[in-house]
Amino acid sequence: MEINALRMKKKLEDYDFSKACPIRNVLDRFGDKWSILVILLLGEHKGPMRFNELAQTIGDISQKMLTVTLRTLEADGMVHRKHYPEIPPRVEYELTELGKGLLPHINGLTQWALKNYDAITKSRKKFIARKQFA
Amino acid sequence: MEINALRMKKKLEDYDFSKACPIRNVLDRFGDKWSILVILLLGEHKGPMRFNELAQTIGDISQKMLTVTLRTLEADGMVHRKHYPEIPPRVEYELTELGKGLLPHINGLTQWALKNYDAITKSRKKFIARKQFA
DNA sequence: CCGCATCCAAACGGATACTG
DNA sequence: CAGTATCCGTTTGGATGCGG
């Protein structure tokens, strides 16, 4: 476990922050399965949310992936993590100003997604149908 | 190869179009490494672009991934593929109306990414620095 | 309650060779 | 030129068990 922590650390240190193009570098963060959804939920919710509250709202996310996602968002400065050293422990998450600034853009995307969902679904089905002949 | 085609076909047919939430279903498409970039390039470019034109503009995409990305975007109805059966062959791609509608939202995201790139980079470095003590 | 460590399967994506 | 087929390493993410 000591070894693994060191490996993780090394991996982060090796990361070349200067090399990648800014757009790709930032947008790649939304490539993962959950980041956008978490930001969206934290954005809708009044006040901070607890770990399990997030987990239950999302429903089908594993504990591991929620932890990973929140850590990454925290590292990027999008989410603030407040840890209360009580027993049992309590941890609350909320968007930072940076995170809130992203919200309208994500909402724009999701609105578009909702509006065009049918068109996309139909297009996918048609595409498959055409492939049946090939 | 016959087998592989059948497997591919089966995979698509098995896909449950009704189950997933519309937002997740659509946004998952942007999870891959290249889709957003391709849409962005097709959006900026005047008129259609050829396969190799796209490949060279992106630079570090493999032939395989460009093909896969374009096929997926075509299936979703975001990109139109025009094939000229000449020798040598020529294939042109351009955004459909659906794809064009997405453009402003993606641009919003990338503008935000550019504007906040420094802040995010700094946050990441700070986060790593804090972890050194742990 | 929250989260880390480990193991493992599946998906992603690159390199290469081949085709019309 | 614009692909397709195949092999293979890397990454992702789920399941489980443990720990403060």
Side-chain angles (χ1 to χ4, degrees):
Chain A
M1 53 172 109
E2 191 61 26
I3 294 171
N4 199 292
L6 287 175
R7 203 158 25 184
M8 192 69 145
K9 192 174 131 185
K10 180 147 188 22
K11 203 170 171 185
L12 282 169
E13 285 167 353
D14 282 348
Y15 196 88
D16 185 347
F17 286 106
S18 61
K19 189 173 62 185
C21 123
I23 295 177
R24 293 258 295 275
N25 193 327
V26 173
L27 292 188
D28 274 0
R29 286 300 199 219
F30 310 135
D32 68 61
K33 228 176 165 182
W34 307 107
S35 291
I36 290 186
L37 190 54
V38 168
I39 292 174
L40 226 42
L41 291 180
L42 289 178
E44 285 175 0
H45 197 266
K46 310 294 173 206
M49 289 181 81
R50 299 187 56 174
F51 185 88
N52 271 351
E53 199 179 353
L54 276 166
Q56 286 161 23
T57 308
I58 297 174
D60 59 340
I61 190 172
S62 67
Q63 220 173 25
K64 174 184 172 180
M65 288 319 297
L66 183 52
T67 301
V68 170
T69 302
L70 286 169
R71 282 296 167 288
T72 307
L73 291 176
E74 190 193 355
D76 283 6
M78 313 275 290
V79 160
H80 178 71
R81 177 176 187 268
K82 188 160 188 183
H83 173 245
Y84 300 85
E86 310 165 349
I87 294 178
R90 181 161 56 104
V91 183
E92 292 182 343
Y93 297 91
E94 60 183 333
L95 290 183
T96 61
E97 288 310 309
L98 191 61
K100 285 177 190 167
L102 183 56
L103 214 45
H105 300 295
I106 292 186
N107 271 320
L109 263 188
T110 56
Q111 293 311 312
W112 182 91
L114 278 175
K115 200 175 301 174
N116 296 282
Y117 179 64
D118 278 349
I120 292 173
T121 302
K122 277 176 192 162
S123 177
R124 284 178 193 171
K125 284 181 182 169
K126 264 192 211 166
F127 191 79
I128 292 171
R130 274 201 304 277
K131 290 293 155 186
Q132 308 292 5
F133 296 104
Chain B
M1 56 172 108
E2 192 60 27
I3 294 171
N4 199 291
L6 286 175
R7 203 156 26 183
M8 192 71 142
K9 191 174 131 186
K10 180 147 189 18
K11 202 169 169 186
L12 283 168
E13 284 166 354
D14 283 348
Y15 196 89
D16 184 345
F17 287 106
S18 61
K19 189 173 64 183
C21 122
I23 295 177
R24 293 258 295 276
N25 195 325
V26 173
L27 292 188
D28 274 1
R29 287 298 200 220
F30 310 135
D32 68 61
K33 225 175 166 184
W34 307 108
S35 292
I36 290 185
L37 190 54
V38 168
I39 292 175
L40 228 41
L41 290 179
L42 289 178
E44 285 174 0
H45 197 266
K46 309 295 174 205
M49 290 181 79
R50 299 186 58 172
F51 186 88
N52 271 352
E53 200 179 353
L54 276 167
Q56 287 160 24
T57 308
I58 296 175
D60 58 341
I61 191 173
S62 66
Q63 219 173 25
K64 174 185 171 180
M65 289 319 297
L66 183 52
T67 302
V68 169
T69 302
L70 286 169
R71 283 294 170 289
T72 306
L73 290 175
E74 189 193 357
D76 284 6
M78 313 275 291
V79 161
H80 178 70
R81 178 175 187 270
K82 189 160 188 184
H83 173 245
Y84 301 86
E86 310 165 349
I87 294 179
R90 182 160 56 105
V91 183
E92 293 181 341
Y93 296 91
E94 59 183 334
L95 290 183
T96 61
E97 289 309 311
L98 191 60
K100 286 177 189 167
L102 183 56
L103 216 44
H105 301 294
I106 292 186
N107 271 320
L109 263 188
T110 55
Q111 293 311 312
W112 181 91
L114 277 176
K115 200 175 300 174
N116 296 282
Y117 179 66
D118 279 349
I120 292 173
T121 302
K122 279 176 191 162
S123 177
R124 283 178 192 171
K125 285 181 181 168
K126 265 192 209 165
F127 191 79
I128 293 171
R130 275 202 302 278
K131 289 294 155 187
Q132 307 291 7
F133 297 103

